[in-house]
């Protein structure tokens, strides 16, 4: 896993080099951690693939800038959030992940992902997270921030993607999306 720079131009050069080295494969991306409505698929040549990656990168950065000024972040203990980008090539698939790291007690926030495989010498297949995924994540944290702990079970009743963990500390709220868990 390689951390990319915040300098987008330099990172796109690294991404382009990684894409050029991808061997052709028809291997599927595998089962996603989220619903298909949070993903978009594209077939494109190299220059169009890079353009799509650039658009996705810009979109995530803009959403992050709106996110980091939200007053309710302190309510869910998201302190000094920082957006990081990582690149990995595994099993002939290039993966780019955007993650929000922070100094609070919660785990990192998955902010977006993009998978690319080379179909043949000219065409690439892209699977990319959509704005619907970001809206889902932000709405989740905002709900946590605005809901008293005693009401969390009721608010998330029937949502199998959220586990609510009761806390002995009245100042701390616990819940986690995507069937995960949160720890003190």
């Amino acid at each position: 896993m390689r951390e990319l720079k915040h300098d987008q131009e330099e990172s796109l050069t690294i991404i382009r080099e990684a894409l050029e080295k991808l061997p052709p494969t028809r291997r599927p991306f595998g089962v996603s951690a989220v619903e298909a409505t949070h993903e978009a698929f594209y077939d494109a040549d190299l220059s169009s693939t890079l353009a799509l990656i650039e658009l996705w990168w810009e979109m995530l950065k803009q959403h992050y800038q709106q996110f980091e000024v939200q007053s309710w972040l302190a309510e869910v203990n998201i302190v000094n959030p920082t957006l990081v980008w990582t690149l990995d090539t595994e099993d002939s698939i290039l993966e780019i992940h955007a993650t929000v790291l922070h100094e609070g007690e919660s785990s990192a926030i998955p902010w977006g992902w993009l998978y690319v495989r080379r179909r043949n010498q000219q065409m690439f297949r892209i699977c990319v997270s959509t704005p619907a995924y970001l809206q889902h994540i932000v709405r989740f944290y905002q709900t946590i921030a605005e809901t008293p702990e005693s009401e969390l079970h009721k608010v998330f009743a029937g949502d199998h993607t959220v586990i609510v963990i009761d806390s002995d500390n009245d100042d701390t709220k616990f819940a986690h999306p995507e069937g995960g868990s949160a720890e003190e």
Side-chain angles (χ1 to χ4, degrees):
M1 192 73 68
R2 177 177 186 177
E3 192 162 321
L4 295 171
K5 310 285 186 198
H6 278 273
D7 177 347
Q8 200 166 320
E9 194 173 319
E10 187 179 331
S11 292
L12 284 172
T13 300
I14 293 166
I15 291 165
R16 181 186 189 110
E17 289 169 0
L19 286 172
E20 288 171 340
K21 291 177 185 171
L22 272 185
T25 177
R26 294 205 168 267
R27 181 183 172 282
F29 292 116
V31 179
S32 171
V34 297
E35 297 174 13
T37 53
H38 291 149
E39 300 169 344
F41 290 90
Y42 303 95
D43 285 329
D45 60 17
L46 179 60
S47 59
S48 300
T49 297
L50 287 165
L52 285 165
I53 291 171
E54 199 168 356
L55 285 170
W56 171 78
W57 187 298
E58 274 303 318
M59 181 268 295
L60 290 188
K61 280 203 309 190
Q62 288 172 15
H63 278 277
Y64 170 72
Q65 287 163 0
Q66 295 163 9
F67 173 78
E68 84 181 321
V69 298
Q70 296 301 314
S71 59
W72 49 261
L73 291 180
E75 291 294 319
V76 283
N77 203 24
I78 295 174
V79 183
N80 296 327
T82 305
L83 182 59
V84 298
W85 307 84
T86 53
L87 179 147
D88 195 20
T89 305
E90 193 172 313
D91 295 333
S92 303
I93 291 178
L94 179 138
E95 304 178 13
I96 303 173
H97 296 272
T99 309
V100 176
L101 302 178
H102 57 93
E103 296 172 17
E105 294 171 349
S106 301
S107 55
I109 303 166
W111 199 247
W113 65 93
L114 184 144
Y115 303 104
V116 186
R117 65 178 171 81
R118 187 192 283 270
R119 298 192 72 166
N120 52 46
Q121 291 303 327
Q122 288 80 35
M123 298 296 291
F124 295 85
R125 181 74 161 156
I126 310 166
C127 171
V128 60
S129 58
T130 66
Y133 171 73
L134 273 183
Q135 290 160 1
H136 173 80
I137 287 288
V138 172
R139 191 166 43 246
F140 167 77
Y141 281 106
Q142 190 169 4
T143 301
I144 295 294
E146 296 171 351
T147 305
E149 187 178 8
S150 60
E151 299 291 310
L152 285 177
H153 282 286
K154 193 184 304 178
V155 168
F156 291 112
D159 187 342
H160 67 279
T161 67
V162 177
I163 297 173
V164 179
I165 301 171
D166 292 317
S167 168
D168 295 333
N169 179 354
D170 291 337
D171 297 331
T172 309
K173 299 174 184 178
F174 291 101
H176 203 274
E178 305 304 341
S181 62
E183 298 175 358
E184 249 184 293

